[in-house]
Amino acid sequence: MTLVAQKLSHRKSAWHRRRPRAEISRPLILTGSVILAMVIVGGIFAPLLSGWGPEEIDFAAFLMPPSTAHPLGTDGNGMDLWSRVLFAARIDVGISLSAVAIAVVVGSLIGGIVGYVGGWVDEIVMRLTDIIQAFPAFILALTVSAMFGGSLFNLTVAIGLIFAPAYVRIMRSEIRALRVRGFVEAAECAGNSRGSILFRHLFPNALTPVLVIAPLNCGWAMLTLAGLSFLGLGVPVPQAEWGAMISAGAADVVGGRWWTSTYPGIALFLSVFGFNLIGEGFLERSEQQ
Amino acid sequence: MADKDLGDIANVTVKREGPTRRQLFELGAGLGLMLTLTPSGAFAQGKSELTIAIPADLGGWDQDYLAFDLVGLAVMKNCYPYMIEYGVKDQDGAAVMDTSNIVPVFAESWKGDAEGKVWTLKIRKGVKFPSGNELTARDVKWSKDRAFAAKANVAGVYRMIGLTEADQVQIVDDYTVQFTQAQPSDLSSHIQIISLYVFDSEELKSHATPDDPWAKEWTTKNPQSGGAYNVVDYKPGQEIVMEANPSFPSAKPRVARVKLQVIPAAANRRLLLEKGEVDIALGLSRRDINDMRNSKGIKVISSPSNEFVFMPMAMGTAPFDNPKVRQAMAHVVPYDAIVTNVYGGNARRSTSPVPLDMPGHSSKGYPFSFDIDKAKALLAEAGMSDGFESEIAILAGDVAQERAAVLVSSAARLAGIELKITPLDPGTLFQRRREKTIPLQIASGQMWVNDIEYLLATSLTPGGFLNYAGYDSPRLVEIFQVLNKTSDMATRHTLFDEVQTILARDVPWLVLAQPHFDLPVAARVSGWVQPVDGLLRLRYLDA
Amino acid sequence: MLAPVLVGVSIFCFLLIRVLPGDPILSIVPETATQADIDRTRAQYGLDRPLVEQYGAYMVGVVQGDFGNSIQTNRPIVDQIAERLPRTLELVVLGFLLALIMAIILGLFAARNAGRIGDHLARVGALVANSLPEFWLGLVLILVFFAALGIAPGPTGRISSGIDFEVITGSLIIDSIITGNMDALVSTLHHLMLPVLTLGVIVVAPMMRSVRASALQVMQSESYRCATAHGLRPNKLLYGYLLRETMVRVPTLAALVLGNLIGGSVLVEFVFSWQGFGQWALRGLLLRDYPVIQAYVLVTASFYVVAFLVADVVQAALDPRIRV
């Protein structure tokens, strides 16, 4: 359901739109960036900001409410929640960014090449892309990670795989549009090789829509990762990751121990919100052009 | 909760007056069942209703072709007619099954000959299935022929007592069936309690086809009845409704109507119990149950249980092929933290691979405690002072196993041992178990027959399905073969003792605990009898 | 485009799940089974035949409407689909409709107040909704409305126990209306409240964005400015022009959102014990129940592909100016 906007962007209409008066793209991007920066700083400096390791067990404090020793309380394994929420930022943000990076790089490359070359290669690749996109995302991610083991790397690749097809499409349609506009003929006339045309002329021009969508994608990637971990099929146990923590805490919440699920939930929400703000700002900007 | 010295119990069992297990167990109708009556009244027929939240629907209604599905087996224990059953006794204030007391239910009597090789089942006359067909010897014979043909659970356990061919089961007359085993066995009655369930053969035959002579198709989808309860409604994936069987030949079930609702998420089962929308919630985590001890309107029934949690080590693979390493592991497990945290204190620490309460149990079977220094010393002796890396495999989704694994892995780190936790899906887990490629794992077992001979057969000798460790001790195999043929109690107990000395030396398993069976129920529910096989008997309940 | 993609999806799925570690047969045979027993069971399910033959047999069955039997339960897959899919559809369609209504209201509101505080609040609000993890939102809603306030029923599924109902189409709402079963209808709607709200909130944002953008375009178009200049009353403006033009974009979006929701409702189903299509597939995946997974993937992919097709067709029909 969140893959919708990326579908939209490749159907960009040629209508010229005049925007409303207030320019809000800047505040959006700014706010989003600030939020994300806080999250990322929290993740990077986690060891300094917390007195406990993320997987360190305090044998005397299982499932304790927030206290001076444990500012956010402890979870069912006796691990400090504040520390885990911080360290989880590394995993959640890191994997989301990496997964989208993989999707962008792989997707754009394939889409660009295919858009440029055309022909039967184009047909085959587009069919394959259709197939991957039609495949239910969760099943795909679960199967890939089950096949190669649930390591963080495999999980990243699996999620990247889900989002790659969109970039293939975007890049392809951009490149084809550019081809039509005569850039290619001009460059070819000037004697440039196909490779250099692709990389030096076409890609930079076509990259804009890709970059516009990327932040939004990061948010969705994070939610997908959290969803997988919520079902118990994501990061390895007992790694700190927000979705897994929410899942572990869900049963505790019913018993009145709200801190185990609430804090990771807030952290997850804030991070996705940050990405979404940036993404909305970018969209806003791009629609002004 | 304190550990009993099981030596005492062993003595009691040996010095018991009256019949030994081998001899006649002929008790009058309902005598054994008098033990099950709760103080609130004798033979009153309950008009009440119970709703129970269960974690999953059963996989099918055909007990012969069902995989090891505990929900299914529990439901079927209540709605299939079973010939014989255990009696009930009191242990620590809780009612548990008395495995030394065999009681005929649908049977009129169950007798073995002097040797214990030929067993005769006499069926009560005039008992009818819901279809109206009478339950006779023909039904028993057909049902056991079917079991042999299915080559599943029953055929497997029958092998243990020397029943391998359908013609070892003979109809003597309309109400008498004879079982002729290849050899006498101490375990016969116990195996038969598991296996003597009967199908309505006339009904099933009417649904059979040439391709499907045993009516598997029909039986899988259609609830079988005729036991203590009859299934009156079944909505697949949602609920099962059962009503007390008016033709039940023993003390009538006190609860007239039981509804089993399928609620997959544990948190939801808990919520429903707290809101009073269900009366019993199965499959809740220890933590949830602990929270509910003080909830209004809810009480937690807590019974000592024979289920044991253990960690078999792959004895054929390095580094666990080195006995010193195994002993070091035994010192690295934080036993008390596991009992406190994973089980909320509601467990008994295991003190031997032989379960507590099993005749012959002795704490000499596992002389180990949580001691990191001793562990390091042993590792050094084994030439591994730098520690090593390995993995703990657990069943994906099992919260208790996950928690225990996290505790063991954290503690092991203190001795330099890195253990990666690997949750596995059932298919992969069972596959790797068969291939014996799991270095360390968490498993639980429950011996349906309370006897060390059965434990050896299933878990500690090559070929035993629970022998995940790949344990092969020639002396243990010898002892097992002797036990198979000996029913002299003194000899058996000497051998039981030797078994545990060997186990203490070889340490095939890390033994963690025997968690209590805790069941949160609405305050009005009573009458719980702790089953030795973990399958709840609804007919004892009262609400 | 339809058939080759679906065939491709089914082949991909077929191969993918067979490469997965974990043998489904092992989870249905007892631990005491011998290798012979396992082999026999495997042959029973046809899993010992060469892959090509298995696939061929499977597809022949599919074309005739037979999706095989579940390895776990030995019950026909089509029965289970008929049981499970309507539950998910009911939830997804209602959630989508709720989101659509909210999106139209909020989108139009935002467009009318474009550039001012109302617009910004609405947009940020939609973003907030889009950022919430749906499993977390579901849990929070349950806590607030069930555990604390007692307004909503417990997350036990689609209907309270103890209410008898007949299953005709599988959709409880339709069935209870057909059979005139008021109790069932009320209970169903009551149970649908929270999950539909959860789904609706999550999906509102992209639709709102689209409605707003469309509305803005319309508002800046010549014909609209013309109508405003002529002094047409606001209501006529709204219903006559704004709504209609705005709705041009919506069906495309709608089809895409719905197509995605079928596969994307798993987490919400999980939290609310909905026993829907997605949960069934997840369990099938865990237990390596091949026919279940294959059926789920095929059906979901079909919805997705059909959704795209419908979107294209509707787009072209509603607005011939847009080239497909």
Side-chain angles (χ1 to χ4, degrees), chain A residues 1-10 100 103 129 132-138 140 159-167 169-170 213 216-221 223-224, chain C residues 130 202-203 206-207 209 252-253 255-261 263-264 304 308:
Chain A
M1 61 220 156
T2 48
L3 294 168
V4 161
Q6 55 187 337
K7 311 272 187 308
L8 272 187
S9 66
H10 86 90
V100 173
T129 316
I132 295 187
Q133 264 190 311
F135 215 88
F138 263 81
L140 189 57
I159 297 180
L161 206 62
I162 298 179
F163 291 102
Y167 292 104
R169 279 190 201 281
I170 294 176
I213 296 296
L216 281 173
N217 244 185
C218 287
W220 302 329
L223 286 175
T224 308
Chain C
N130 206 21
I202 301 294
V203 187
M207 294 207 282
R209 189 186 290 128
T252 318
L253 191 46
L256 298 174
V257 168
L258 262 186
N260 268 302
L261 267 182
Y304 182 89
F308 252 100

Side-chain angles (χ1 to χ4, degrees), chain A residues 1 4 7 11 17-18 22 24 131 133-134 142-143 146-147 230-231 253 261 265 268-269 273 276 280 284, chain C residues 8 19-20 115 120 123 128 131 133-136 143 209 217 220 225 253 257 260 282 285 304 308 312:
Chain A
M1 61 220 156
V4 161
K7 311 272 187 308
R11 291 194 152 277
R17 300 183 205 154
R18 273 172 280 164
I24 67 162
I131 290 177
Q133 264 190 311
L142 290 176
T143 327
M147 222 165 11
F230 180 76
L231 295 173
V253 162
S261 273
L268 180 61
F269 161 69
F273 188 47
N276 277 352
E280 185 81 1
E284 187 72 15
Chain C
V19 173
L20 271 182
H120 297 154
R123 291 174 68 187
V128 167
S131 311
E134 70 248 56
F135 46 95
W136 194 65
L143 264 185
R209 189 186 290 128
Q217 267 164 353
Q220 271 132 27
R225 268 118 152 285
L253 191 46
V257 168
N260 268 302
L282 270 186
L285 186 61
Y304 182 89
F308 252 100
D312 281 352

Side-chain angles (χ1 to χ4, degrees), chain B residues 310-333 335 366 368 388 390-392 408 417 419 436-443 466-472 503-511:
Chain B
F310 64 112
M311 296 178 69
M313 296 178 274
M315 295 171 74
T317 331
F320 297 114
D321 52 352
N322 184 332
K324 294 241 178 283
V325 171
R326 296 198 297 275
Q327 287 166 5
M329 285 299 300
H331 284 294
V332 129
V333 177
Y335 299 101
Y366 195 76
F368 303 103
F388 60 90
S390 187
E391 75 170 320
I392 304 182
V408 170
I417 306 175
L419 297 170
K436 309 249 190 283
T437 58
I438 306 185
L440 186 61
Q441 59 182 294
I442 301 186
L466 215 54
N467 189 356
Y468 302 142
Y471 185 36
D472 185 358
L503 288 174
R505 190 194 64 211
D506 290 342
V507 196
W509 301 343
L510 305 172
V511 295

